Amino acid sequence: MGERFDCYYCKESLLGRKYILRENNQHCVKCFESLYSNTCEDCKAIISSDCKDLSYKDHHWHEQCFKCSKCSCSLVEKAFAAKDENLLCTECYSNEYSSKCFTCKKTIMPGSRKMEYRGNSWHETCFVCKRCRQPIGTKSFIPKENNNYCIPCYEKQFALHCSSCKKVITTGGVTYHDQPWHKECFLCTGCKMQLAGQRFTSRDDFPYCLDCFSNLYAKKCAACVNVIAGIGGSKYISFEDRQWHNDCFNCKNCAISLVGRGFLTKRDDVFCPECGRDA
């Protein structure tokens, strides 16, 4: 009696019948399919041994069932995407779920690089500086009025430049005569002391600290020779080319105040009318 050649599972003879080997054991087609064949995700039927079994993430399909869930085109040997366990061709996925480029308004295809900022998306090649048109990529940039600028272009087009050193003012700064200055560049014309945060005055459009202005330009009292500070509304008496503090405008002889009274002059001195007649 010859050696038997039976199905490993049901023990029926395989002589003259189709069989399938698995782990060195032969199975009849029926047993193999019931034990090992997968169920198609689309039609829910068994994927028989004589059919091609296409799989993706532990899911299986007949070749004819492996298609886009939206437009039903075949996905065999084509790029596809998955959404909520449904397979979609790249066109349907793009139309349904992909971002649109903020600049060119075209779909950003799955898998392609994109840039995102404040809820908007761009193709990498569309995310460019408004001024120089170069891709920004991972470089720093500054947004302005729905446009983006690389740092050098933003500084050239929008940043303030110091009236003294001509360099960009990045933070702070001082405005004088409607012109911007770095704090460290806004100096007294006389002593070069920084004037930011200090009281100052000007002459011929040049800024001066109070000390320098007083020493250079302020009027000096003809009596005490001290500066008559014009800042703060100080009152003084002026006659011809000489000036006096109100408190210093007194008769040279009797020291009576001459403010609001008549007076006489003799050389550099002033006298009340009485003392003047005797002088």
Side-chain angles (χ1 to χ4, degrees):
M1 189 172 180
E3 184 178 349
R4 293 183 60 83
F5 186 65
D6 300 335
C7 172
Y8 178 76
Y9 186 74
C10 69
K11 306 305 181 184
E12 287 189 12
S13 174
L14 295 176
L15 293 174
R17 298 173 59 190
K18 182 180 179 180
Y19 66 91
I20 303 168
L21 281 174
R22 183 181 173 91
E23 297 175 355
N24 293 323
N25 294 314
Q26 64 273 8
H27 298 75
C28 67
V29 172
K30 182 179 179 181
C31 288
F32 181 87
E33 290 181 349
S34 65
L35 289 171
Y36 303 114
S37 289
N38 297 304
T39 300
C40 176
E41 290 290 327
D42 183 50
C43 69
K44 309 305 180 185
I46 290 292
I47 301 174
S48 63
S49 58
D50 58 352
C51 292
K52 186 178 288 187
D53 184 336
L54 302 180
S55 64
Y56 173 73
K57 288 188 175 180
D58 296 326
H59 296 293
H60 299 263
W61 291 263
H62 292 104
E63 184 175 19
Q64 66 273 18
C65 294
F66 194 62
K67 56 191 177 182
C68 173
S69 61
K70 190 170 182 65
C71 71
S72 299
C73 72
S74 175
L75 299 178
V76 177
E77 297 183 357
K78 292 182 180 179
F80 64 91
K83 182 70 174 180
D84 301 329
E85 298 187 356
N86 292 317
L87 302 183
L88 295 162
C89 64
T90 53
E91 185 174 354
C92 287
Y93 183 89
S94 298
N95 292 336
E96 193 78 18
Y97 302 108
S98 290
S99 304
K100 298 291 190 297
C101 177
F102 186 77
T103 297
C104 72
K105 311 305 179 186
K106 295 180 180 179
T107 297
I108 301 174
M109 299 300 289
S112 61
R113 295 190 63 180
K114 68 177 180 178
M115 309 299 294
E116 295 181 317
Y117 179 69
R118 290 185 177 177
N120 294 318
S121 301
W122 289 262
H123 293 107
E124 186 178 30
T125 53
C126 291
F127 192 63
V128 299
C129 170
K130 173 68 175 179
R131 190 171 187 270
C132 69
R133 311 307 300 172
Q134 294 300 307
I136 293 173
T138 58
K139 296 183 292 187
S140 297
F141 66 94
I142 299 175
K144 184 177 177 64
E145 299 173 355
N146 289 329
N147 294 310
N148 301 303
Y149 296 84
C150 64
I151 301 300
C153 285
Y154 183 87
E155 291 181 348
K156 289 176 183 177
Q157 187 155 342
F158 300 108
L160 297 175
H161 290 74
C162 177
S163 295
S164 176
C165 70
K166 309 305 179 186
K167 294 181 180 178
V168 170
I169 300 174
T170 55
T171 57
V174 174
T175 300
Y176 174 67
H177 284 328
D178 295 325
Q179 297 297 319
W181 306 65
H182 289 113
K183 288 183 178 180
E184 57 271 22
C185 293
F186 188 57
L187 308 175
C188 170
T189 306
C191 67
K192 306 305 179 185
M193 177 184 74
Q194 285 192 25
L195 296 178
Q198 307 295 323
R199 294 182 68 195
F200 67 93
T201 186
S202 65
R203 184 181 177 92
D204 300 327
D205 292 336
F206 293 102
Y208 291 88
C209 68
L210 301 189
D211 288 343
C212 285
F213 184 83
S214 296
N215 292 333
L216 291 170
Y217 301 112
K219 298 175 175 64
K220 292 181 172 58
C221 178
C224 70
V225 196
N226 290 324
V227 169
I228 300 174
I231 298 170
S234 297
K235 293 182 179 180
Y236 64 94
I237 305 298
S238 180
F239 177 71
E240 294 180 344
D241 59 348
R242 290 181 292 167
Q243 292 80 32
W244 292 262
H245 292 107
N246 269 19
D247 294 339
C248 295
F249 192 56
N250 302 321
C251 175
K252 176 67 174 179
N253 187 38
C254 68
I256 189 172
S257 175
L258 299 177
V259 177
R261 301 180 59 182
F263 62 92
L264 300 173
T265 62
K266 189 172 183 180
R267 292 184 295 276
D268 293 334
D269 300 321
V270 290
F271 298 89
C272 65
E274 291 80 7
C275 293
R277 285 193 293 267
D278 299 332

